[in-house]
Amino acid sequence: MWRGHGPLCLPQTQEERKMEGVDVAIIGGGFGGLASALWCHRLGLRCVVLERREALGGQLHWIYNPLPDYPGFTGDGAALAAQLTSQLHSLSIPVHTNVEVHSIEDEPLRLRTSAGELTARACILATGLRRRRLRVPGAETFEGKGLSYTASGCPEMFEGKHVAIVGGGDGAFENALILAKTSPHVTILYRGDAPRARPQFTEEVDNSENITLLCQHDVLSIQGDACVESVLCEGPEGQKELAIGALLVKIGLEPNIQLVESLCALDDTSTVQTDRLQRTTHERIFAVGDVCTSLDPSLSVAAGQACFAVREIERLLR
């Protein structure tokens, strides 16, 4: 049984793989994955958590404000991630960071990872979401050089500059209102006819003197020398170049489904299809959290899904 954090030293011979197999391999060390590990411990299932990043917590690290709706906890996301990490340590639950899962092979379930191979009797996919990237010329070049997908993590990138925000949802409008306090002007570029943000945000933006909303505007490219200097966009009146000092991209999130696209069915929102017990269309692969929850993603939902999934796995393996 593997212990502690850090890269795995997975067994390499066929006999060692058989000896070192686990009951449940949990892919993803975010909230849903860690909740699943706690349930595995409670039900006596041998599990291992595999997380590709250095820190546990996943999207919890995107939450910079106090959590308003998770029962019994009032800190921010990083504080909850630290508390969960400590809890798993205290229970000696095997967790391994900096380990990328490259593929899942069937019959039996075998995970090929950056640290070797691992066999499991069942698998829980808890890979969550990733920020949808802006795919136009210059986006990759200027990421971190005036282009960012988060404003909370790097406020100095936007302060005192004309900021353009790409997107029309709550994230775009809420960030526009925040950045307008320290930026001379904020321009929201949205490709649709009308923004999708909640009325409370759209009304505040409409009443703001230094926020401009441009609907029906597509971003074509990003230009600059050492950092972002302008964005080329196309609207109803044709193409135009907008001089800016920073670009914030808020065009939504997409599920991390690459590992199971050939093994499990997806629903019409490209999330993993599950039943009420978190079973996918593969008999031994389960999914929890945002990777399978497009309607009501939340910490409370993920915690409940972890309970359902692990209890059903325990019945399956009994």
Side-chain angles (χ1 to χ4, degrees), residues 34-46:
L34 300 184
S36 298
L38 291 173
W39 272 102
C40 284
H41 180 270
R42 177 176 178 179
L43 297 181
L45 297 174
R46 295 176 301 123

Side-chain angles (χ1 to χ4, degrees), residues 117-198:
E117 294 184 6
L118 170 68
T119 56
R121 300 174 70 192
C123 176
I124 295 178
L125 188 73
T127 48
L129 304 173
R130 64 178 181 270
R131 292 186 175 97
R132 185 172 284 114
R133 317 305 277 186
L134 185 63
R135 292 179 171 84
V136 300
E140 289 188 13
T141 302
F142 292 109
E143 185 167 347
K145 301 175 182 177
L147 184 153
S148 178
Y149 292 86
T150 175
S152 302
C154 49
E156 68 284 350
M157 184 181 291
F158 304 94
E159 189 172 351
K161 300 175 182 176
H162 179 183
V163 179
I165 300 179
V166 184
D170 287 350
F173 276 65
E174 186 176 15
N175 276 275
L177 293 166
I178 294 171
L179 293 175
K181 298 175 182 178
T182 58
S183 299
H185 200 86
V186 176
T187 301
I188 302 175
L189 301 170
Y190 179 53
R191 64 188 305 176
D193 295 329
R196 298 172 285 104
R198 284 177 284 177

Side-chain angles (χ1 to χ4, degrees), residues 77-315:
L80 181 54
Q83 183 170 309
L84 284 169
T85 300
S86 177
Q87 186 176 6
L88 265 68
H89 270 303
S90 70
L91 297 173
S92 297
I93 296 175
V95 178
H96 300 278
T97 57
N98 295 315
V99 174
E100 184 89 33
V101 179
H102 298 309
S103 64
I104 304 174
E105 296 184 2
D106 206 358
E107 298 299 334
L109 286 180
R110 177 176 294 140
L111 281 64
R112 296 188 181 277
T113 81
S114 57
E117 294 184 6
L118 170 68
T119 56
R121 300 174 70 192
C123 176
I124 295 178
L125 188 73
T127 48
L129 304 173
R130 64 178 181 270
R131 292 186 175 97
R132 185 172 284 114
R133 317 305 277 186
L134 185 63
R135 292 179 171 84
V136 300
E140 289 188 13
T141 302
F142 292 109
E143 185 167 347
K145 301 175 182 177
L147 184 153
S148 178
Y149 292 86
T150 175
S152 302
C154 49
E156 68 284 350
M157 184 181 291
F158 304 94
E159 189 172 351
K161 300 175 182 176
H162 179 183
V163 179
I165 300 179
V166 184
D170 287 350
F173 276 65
E174 186 176 15
N175 276 275
L177 293 166
I178 294 171
L179 293 175
K181 298 175 182 178
T182 58
S183 299
H185 200 86
V186 176
T187 301
I188 302 175
L189 301 170
Y190 179 53
R191 64 188 305 176
D193 295 329
R196 298 172 285 104
R198 284 177 284 177
Q200 69 180 80
F201 292 141
T202 58
E203 290 172 8
E204 285 190 61
V205 165
D206 288 341
N207 294 326
S208 177
E209 296 182 354
N210 64 331
I211 301 178
T212 301
L213 171 62
L214 298 177
C215 291
Q216 298 181 328
H217 276 70
D218 274 309
V219 175
L220 302 180
S221 64
I222 304 160
Q223 290 121 13
D225 189 7
C227 60
V228 171
E229 296 176 2
S230 67
V231 59
L232 180 66
C233 55
E234 185 169 25
E237 299 176 357
Q239 294 185 9
K240 63 181 176 182
E241 188 172 351
L242 180 66
I244 59 173
L247 181 67
L248 177 63
V249 180
K250 288 290 180 181
I251 54 177
L253 305 168
E254 54 190 3
N256 289 307
I257 56 173
Q258 303 91 320
L259 282 173
V260 297
E261 282 182 290
S262 62
L263 296 172
C264 305
L266 306 178
D267 63 19
D268 55 6
T269 61
S270 294
T271 53
V272 178
Q273 181 179 314
T274 60
D275 64 11
R276 64 183 183 86
L277 297 177
Q278 303 311 123
R279 295 176 295 199
T280 71
T281 51
H282 188 290
E283 181 185 13
R284 292 182 180 270
I285 298 179
F286 294 70
V288 304
D290 292 348
V291 73
C292 63
T293 311
S294 59
L295 184 59
D296 295 303
S298 71
L299 297 179
S300 297
V301 169
Q305 290 173 336
C307 172
F308 281 129
V310 179
R311 284 189 177 276
E312 181 60 14
I313 290 173
E314 195 271 339
R315 287 187 285 264

Side-chain angles (χ1 to χ4, degrees), residues 31 66-76 79-80 83 299-300:
F31 184 84
L67 294 163
D69 52 12
Y70 190 68
F73 188 86
T74 56
D76 63 12
L80 181 54
Q83 183 170 309
L299 297 179
S300 297

